[in-house]
Amino acid sequence: MPTSICSICNEHPSKYKCPNCLVPYCSLSCFKTHKETPCEKSTAAPPTPKEESRPDLPIEEDSLLSEEVLLKLKQCKDVQNLVSLPELQKILAEVDGAAQPEKALDNLRNDPLMSEFIEKALEAIGLNGKQTED
């Protein structure tokens, strides 16, 4: 099954699509690069299943993070600090590249750094009982 190449770095297979314009990208880093310039809401039809890079993990529109949630994560100092750590970047890259990301995340359940990242991310978007004002 052919996969599309990341439209940002043009190096790696794309795993995701921008929720706004449906441009394919491969990682959080490429998504951040893409978001540096505003994009337009796509009027194209949603991708067909053959375009999915992981047929066992179809991307459903309601499972994508909204622009508002992405902005909250981007503005949260705790999340920014954690994402800047090479150890967490390595963990996230491994999960991102895993054939079964849910299993990879499950295996990290007891990792203190990943647990802290998840806790801070949930706090930033208001899903952990607290919401930061960063």
Side-chain angles (χ1 to χ4, degrees):
M1 174 181 293
T3 59
S4 61
I5 298 296
C6 174
S7 292
I8 310 306
C9 69
N10 294 313
E11 293 178 14
H12 305 288
S14 66
K15 297 176 186 167
Y16 314 100
K17 293 191 184 248
C18 173
N20 241 8
C21 66
L22 302 178
V23 166
Y25 63 94
C26 66
S27 64
L28 180 60
S29 175
C30 284
F31 180 74
K32 287 180 178 180
T33 300
H34 172 65
K35 289 319 239 174
E36 288 174 0
T37 57
C39 58
E40 297 293 323
K41 188 92 171 162
S42 174
T43 57
T48 61
K50 67 181 179 183
E51 294 175 11
E52 299 289 335
S53 61
R54 293 183 184 154
D56 57 328
L57 297 173
I59 298 175
E60 298 176 14
E61 190 70 29
D62 62 343
S63 68
L64 297 174
L65 296 177
S66 70
E67 291 291 323
E68 179 184 349
V69 168
L70 290 172
L71 185 60
K72 286 180 180 180
L73 290 170
K74 181 180 178 181
Q75 293 174 337
C76 178
K77 297 293 183 201
D78 289 334
V79 171
Q80 287 177 13
N81 291 337
L82 286 167
V83 170
S84 70
L85 298 173
E87 306 94 278
L88 184 62
Q89 291 175 4
K90 182 178 182 232
I91 290 170
L92 294 174
E94 288 172 3
V95 171
D96 184 46
Q100 297 178 329
E102 289 88 358
K103 186 175 181 180
L105 280 172
D106 193 44
N107 291 338
L108 291 165
R109 182 184 324 202
N110 296 322
D111 183 278
L113 185 56
M114 190 65 174
S115 295
E116 182 180 3
F117 171 69
I118 292 169
E119 179 184 333
K120 296 301 182 185
L122 289 173
E123 285 176 13
I125 62 173
L127 291 179
N128 207 23
K130 304 179 223 174
Q131 187 167 2
T132 61
E133 295 298 321
D134 297 75

